Amino acid sequence: MAVEPDVLDELARLRARVPQLTGALAADTGGRVLARDTTDEGAQRLAALTVDALLAALRLADAAGQGRAEELLVRGEGGYVAAYAAGPTAVLTLLAEPRVNVGRLHLEGRRAGARIGELLDGALERLEDT
């Protein structure tokens, strides 16, 4: 699937809209990095952990009767890790400074996740048509 340039463009636009981001990556639900805008050498590990965490959040939301989980936010001493569903086949992971506006992070993360999901779905449809 040749969507990496489009996903990278979306990650760059996201960074421009939320300057407190310190990293961003998109991964498939198997934990494989599809595109990344981070210098972190542990991106593959982070992608796999994020997928696992979001799957745990899905089970938690379901068990609590809250429906399908769409996102996850973790606040640590050094900042935030946020994960958003990016369509049915991918996850968007964002790393942010402690001073980020969390509302803005969610707004932009949700939009970017939806856009990345559309890009990936479109690429899958093109593959199926060939």
Side-chain angles (χ1 to χ4, degrees), residues 12 27 39 41 63 65 91-92 107 126:
T39 57
E41 293 303 317
V91 175
L92 171 64
L107 175 70
R126 287 190 298 278

Side-chain angles (χ1 to χ4, degrees), residues 92-110:
L92 171 64
T93 302
L94 303 178
L95 307 175
E97 298 173 356
R99 63 187 182 92
V100 71
N101 177 314
V102 175
R104 180 70 183 217
L105 178 69
H106 280 319
L107 175 70
E108 298 298 346
R110 290 171 186 148

